[in-house]
Amino acid sequence: MKKRIINVFAVSMLMLIFFLPILQPPQEVQAATIHAAGDLTWYDSAGYAHTTAYLMNGSKLVYCFDMNSLPASSGGTGYNNGQDFNNSSIISLLYYGYGGAGYRGSGAKTDYVKTWVALNLWKLGKTSPSQSYANTDPFIQSLYTHARKQDKPGYNITFSTSYVSSSIQGNVQQSSIIRVNGSNKSYAALNIPSGVTIHVIGGAAQKGGSIKVWGGQSFYFTALLSYNADYKTGNVNAWEQQLASILYLPNDSAYQPVLQTPSLYVDPTVKAGFTVHFFVRQKTITIIHKNKFAPGQTFETDKHLLLIGSKFNYGPKNDFISNGMQYDPVSTNHVTGTVPSNDETFTLYYKLRRTVTVNYLDSRTGKAIAPSKSYTKHQGDAYSETSPTNFKNGSYTYHYVKETGSAQSGTIGTGNVVINYYYQLPLIKIGIDKLQIYTAPAAQGLPVKVYLDKTNIYPYETNGMATSKINISLYHGNQQLATQQYSALGLPTNLQFSVPSRILQVDTHQPYTVRLENYDSHDFDVIANENSLTTDGYASSQETVGLNLTNLIHGSSFSRVVMTEITPTTPMQSFYETFHYNANSLPAVKSGYGVKSTVTLGYSNELGTDYQTAVSVPDNAVTFEAPKELQDSDLNYPINGSSVEVPMTASRSSFTAGGIYYRADTFQFPHINVERDTGYLFTDQEVSSHDSRITQSLINGYNEFYTPIWPKNHVTLPYSYPVDYCTNSMGVNQVTIKMYDALNIYAYMYGWMGSPTIKDDNIIISPVDSNNPFPDGIPKNWSSSDVAWLKLHS
């Protein structure tokens, strides 16, 4: 037998001692002496005594293998060569045995004897109760369980380096890469500082906190450029305790004793850890923006964190705004330099930008009669203005009335200078040019649009444009519903009302009137026959239109009002939206097969691109509704009560022609994919998401609705199921169309002897005589091997 070192001493027989580490193969270290602290005896359930000396190496337990009945490790007789140190079963047994880190026993020293017994019996392969009464002990059995599982900890790791520096990568400090050396079952728990982020290569990044790194992984760290602390892990090997030693007793007298202290083979505790060096890489350049005329007023302070030694160049800001005021730099010079090893501060000064504005205004309307004059000055500058008197409007020359606002000359302070020169012309001419009322749901109210025709025609000497008032009111018969008051100055060219919902009812229409009233005829010239207009307003029908597809040959259509309009010179005109719809009755189908359907919805609106003025008109949608027992078990269309609701797939187009908006929508059942060999059904969404149930190739199931292979609820075919197509609420009038149909399942996919529809069933199931499957002769295109296969599998 080969050994590196053999040292023995007399303790009544030759002894060789090995320490068993959990972390790595044993290494030779220092000599030690074994002490026997008296014999310990434990009696098993049959009363047999098991006795061993309580052995210690200093403060460390030692267990003795009795090798007399064991074969030698390399032929002949002798003691074991220590290969048990690499045996995961022995390691697990020692780890959970008496004195091990995983020991969970009572603490009695009899557990030492039991551990010794378990070691020897495990080594001999005698672990069943029939081989030793000792094996009936629960503690010994638990040790065998751990030995079988080989579940000793495996925390021992090392790192590829114990120190790494960092470098600047973009806007962070980044360390070199560190690799964890060890098995992929070993790990170290790292506590990351809050300012440091670990990046596991091929894994996730984590800022701060605890993280486990496993054998075989590599990682690196990042921190802000301003981070200024080394990250030191300390020792992060999670388990440092050594296991008990094993004492091997040789049984071959060929090994002669040497009277000296025995040598021990033991692993020192492995220390694993590293340091990452981070330090500050930046300094702050501060730019302070201040008011020249108020040095104590700081507008803004900009702090720039820059790399030491880099160049900087900062200039004043143009159009600088502070507290809503604009400032311009006193100087356009920049502050430049190289970032030093200390922080630096620079100040840039600004002066308040002010505007001198001269307005030429109509004294009645407040509107400009000529473009305003505006120019820029700064605080401390001088200015001066005078009023011109040569403005004209047709045959009229504007008369200068007064000047208001800032003084006409002076020095610019902290405020803008505004000078208003006022002039006068005649008042206005006014009339109602057009009235429109849009259809909308009764609960929302009806939008009313009023278009005014107004012209400024007042005499020069007339005043009161800002104070003269006129009411524009909405009436239902003699009931005033709303009024809006305007001055001549603020009168718009168009305005809006709303017929309130409180007087409206679904699917009704009433006349409504808009009037000009409560005005002074000396200030407002109302055009003859344009002081009022009346037109009808329609509340949305909000109806459901139902039809039976068995009676629908070429589809159908209907129209509803979406707006009425009237002018002083034209009668009331109605504008319509029209609904077109068509679908064919479903064909009869066999169970388990798909059926196609096409529903077309057409929509037109005479308002053209303005068709959504009153109501947001949604896209059309169609839902196929059928009894829920018609849904194939592979699919998961929504269930509502006793019905399955299949959202049909839309193909849309829309355009505007001749001022009319058109929309054409075609609806089909959702596309289905069929698994080739199983016949399982999958939606496009399940295919795109790689549903785990898809195990075979798919074929096109087309846009069809598939029925179950076997009818549910004990239905006997043929059977007709009521189905329908239901649209969403469509158009301005919020109309719902419901088309009723029936799905007739007239035969089975799989028939059988006695099937009521056997003449129409698709596949007939019939018993086969395995000895003579074709008594009437082999079918055409069947080979002898085909027949042999059928006989074998019948």
Side-chain angles (χ1 to χ4, degrees), residues 363-513:
S363 64
R364 300 188 183 278
T365 65
K367 295 181 179 180
I369 63 172
S372 297
K373 180 169 69 172
S374 182
Y375 51 92
T376 298
K377 290 283 187 177
H378 292 94
Q379 186 176 359
D381 294 346
Y383 74 96
S384 179
E385 286 293 328
T386 57
S387 59
T389 57
N390 58 346
F391 297 116
K392 290 185 176 293
N393 185 334
S395 60
Y396 293 98
T397 299
Y398 280 96
H399 172 68
Y400 172 70
V401 176
K402 61 180 178 179
E403 165 262 326
T404 63
S406 304
Q408 296 185 72
S409 61
T411 300
I412 303 294
T414 58
N416 288 322
V417 173
V418 179
I419 304 171
N420 299 315
Y421 294 119
Y422 287 93
Y423 305 83
Q424 288 183 346
L425 278 180
L427 289 177
I428 67 171
K429 180 183 287 188
I430 184 68
I432 302 176
D433 186 53
K434 182 167 59 178
L435 174 62
Q436 296 174 332
I437 301 181
Y438 289 82
T439 301
Q444 296 181 15
L446 307 183
V448 178
K449 287 189 176 182
V450 181
Y451 297 86
L452 300 179
D453 180 8
K454 69 167 189 174
T455 306
N456 288 352
I457 58 167
Y458 62 88
Y460 173 77
E461 65 275 10
T462 305
N463 56 28
M465 176 63 76
T467 56
S468 296
K469 306 293 182 181
I470 186 171
N471 287 355
I472 305 175
S473 302
L474 174 67
Y475 283 86
H476 177 220
N478 294 324
Q479 179 186 7
Q480 187 184 81
L481 302 178
T483 188
Q484 299 181 32
Q485 186 180 74
Y486 298 93
S487 68
L489 179 65
L491 193 64
T493 56
N494 59 77
L495 58 141
Q496 295 188 18
F497 289 103
S498 177
V499 177
S501 61
R502 69 178 184 273
I503 68 167
L504 297 175
Q505 294 182 355
V506 175
D507 198 18
T508 60
H509 62 94
Q510 297 290 336
Y512 301 95
T513 301

Side-chain angles (χ1 to χ4, degrees), residues 136-306:
T136 63
D137 182 75
F139 179 69
I140 290 178
Q141 281 299 315
S142 71
L143 296 182
Y144 290 159
T145 298
H146 289 298
R148 293 185 187 100
K149 290 183 178 179
Q150 298 184 355
D151 57 355
K152 51 85 179 178
Y155 300 132
N156 184 36
I157 63 163
T158 60
F159 296 98
S160 58
T161 181
S162 62
Y163 178 90
V164 293
S165 60
S166 60
S167 61
I168 297 174
Q169 299 294 331
N171 60 352
V172 296
Q173 302 182 68
Q174 179 174 313
S175 75
S176 303
I177 293 176
I178 302 172
R179 178 178 173 81
V180 185
N181 298 320
S183 73
N184 61 5
K185 295 182 180 179
S186 61
Y187 71 86
L190 304 180
N191 292 316
I192 312 299
S194 60
V196 176
T197 299
I198 185 173
H199 303 262
V200 179
I201 296 177
Q206 176 179 317
K207 184 176 182 180
S210 297
I211 188 172
K212 289 181 180 179
V213 289
W214 299 85
Q217 286 187 325
S218 296
F219 53 88
Y220 63 91
F221 298 90
T222 59
L224 295 178
L225 294 176
S226 58
Y227 192 77
N228 190 32
D230 286 353
Y231 167 41
K232 299 180 180 180
T233 66
N235 179 30
V236 293
N237 247 332
W239 189 64
E240 299 180 7
Q241 179 177 347
Q242 294 177 322
L243 299 178
S245 301
I246 297 177
L247 176 65
Y248 293 90
L249 301 181
N251 55 20
D252 191 340
S253 60
Y255 289 88
Q256 299 300 320
V258 177
L259 297 179
Q260 61 184 37
T261 303
S263 295
L264 299 177
Y265 291 80
V266 61
D267 281 339
T269 298
V270 177
K271 305 289 185 181
F274 54 85
T275 297
V276 181
H277 181 48
F278 292 116
F279 59 94
V280 174
R281 310 297 182 107
Q282 297 169 306
K283 290 298 177 182
T284 300
I285 300 298
T286 301
I287 308 297
I288 300 176
H289 304 270
K290 288 190 173 186
N291 187 345
K292 173 185 175 182
F293 289 91
Q297 180 184 5
T298 297
F299 300 139
E300 184 178 286
T301 299
D302 299 329
K303 292 183 178 294
H304 306 276
L305 194 60
L306 304 175

Side-chain angles (χ1 to χ4, degrees), residues 511-754:
Y512 301 95
T513 301
V514 172
R515 297 174 185 165
L516 302 179
E517 59 185 8
N518 298 336
Y519 59 88
D520 187 335
S521 61
H522 295 289
D523 294 334
F524 294 91
D525 183 8
V526 176
I527 301 171
N529 301 321
E530 293 188 15
N531 64 331
S532 69
L533 285 176
T534 300
T535 190
D536 285 353
Y538 283 74
S540 297
S541 63
Q542 297 180 253
E543 61 190 302
T544 297
V545 177
L547 67 150
N548 194 319
L549 290 181
T550 58
N551 301 325
L552 186 67
I553 300 176
H554 298 295
S556 186
S557 65
F558 59 92
S559 299
R560 297 292 182 267
V561 173
V562 292
M563 187 193 77
T564 65
E565 176 183 286
I566 192 170
T567 72
T569 58
T570 59
M572 184 183 80
Q573 178 183 2
S574 296
F575 294 80
Y576 294 89
E577 62 181 355
T578 301
F579 302 90
H580 306 266
Y581 50 95
N582 188 28
N584 293 324
S585 184
L586 291 172
V589 67
K590 296 178 183 180
S591 70
Y593 284 86
V595 61
K596 293 183 179 181
S597 178
T598 300
V599 177
T600 59
L601 295 177
Y603 178 78
S604 61
N605 192 303
E606 294 177 352
L607 296 181
T609 56
D610 296 330
Y611 72 101
Q612 300 193 95
T613 297
V615 177
S616 178
V617 178
D619 286 339
N620 293 340
V622 175
T623 300
F624 177 70
E625 299 176 340
K628 66 181 180 182
E629 56 265 26
L630 283 182
Q631 175 160 229
D632 188 278
S633 59
D634 291 336
L635 301 175
N636 60 345
Y637 296 130
I639 299 295
N640 184 4
S642 62
S643 298
V644 58
E645 296 183 345
V646 182
M648 300 190 74
T649 302
S651 175
R652 308 182 190 280
S653 64
S654 62
F655 61 94
T656 302
I660 300 177
Y661 172 80
Y662 294 93
R663 185 163 65 193
D665 297 334
T666 301
F667 296 88
Q668 293 180 304
F669 290 128
H671 180 259
I672 294 297
N673 304 274
V674 183
E675 199 168 48
R676 181 180 296 276
D677 294 335
T678 66
Y680 294 155
L681 305 179
F682 297 95
T683 64
D684 287 349
Q685 181 180 2
E686 290 170 332
V687 173
S688 63
S689 62
H690 305 290
D691 192 295
S692 60
R693 296 174 299 162
I694 303 175
T695 60
Q696 302 185 34
S697 62
L698 301 173
I699 61 176
N700 188 358
Y702 304 99
N703 294 80
E704 296 187 0
F705 177 75
Y706 284 81
T707 63
I709 294 176
W710 299 108
K712 300 178 183 177
N713 298 336
H714 307 290
V715 169
T716 300
L717 301 184
Y719 193 83
S720 181
Y721 294 89
V723 297
D724 64 72
Y725 305 90
C726 185
T727 71
N728 61 330
S729 180
M730 300 187 300
V732 173
N733 278 276
Q734 300 186 349
V735 175
T736 300
I737 299 175
K738 199 154 191 174
M739 292 172 274
Y740 299 94
D741 198 5
L743 179 55
N744 180 29
I745 303 180
Y746 69 94
Y748 293 91
M749 173 183 284
Y750 294 107
W752 68 94
M753 302 301 293

